[in-house]
Amino acid sequence: MSYVAGHRHTTVQDHVALVEIDLTGELMIAAAASSEDRLSPDRIDEVLDVDGDGREPPGEPA
């Protein structure tokens, strides 16, 4: 008789990984909709909703 592993139900979620997957999906959608070969750094910042200047906002820890 051979052993077949059953499907495990898990409730553990890696929230950071889920956010990263979502952001990657947003970048893929933007890239697919773009007529250019590559997304510009400004467009990537826009899609990811970041400032893009590499500095932390005032009052935020670095």
Side-chain angles (χ1 to χ4, degrees):
M1 178 198 265
S2 64
Y3 175 77
V4 177
H7 179 70
R8 294 184 299 170
H9 292 296
T10 178
T11 58
V12 176
Q13 292 185 2
D14 185 337
H15 296 285
V16 173
L18 293 174
V19 169
E20 289 178 355
I21 291 166
D22 185 50
L23 293 174
T24 301
E26 294 296 326
L27 286 172
M28 292 172 64
I29 291 167
S34 175
S35 61
E36 302 295 323
D37 288 339
R38 297 173 186 237
L39 294 176
S40 70
D42 288 339
R43 178 66 178 130
I44 292 171
D45 290 345
E46 180 183 336
V47 170
L48 298 179
D49 194 26
V50 296
D51 187 5
D53 64 6
R55 294 180 299 169
E56 295 292 323
E60 295 288 324

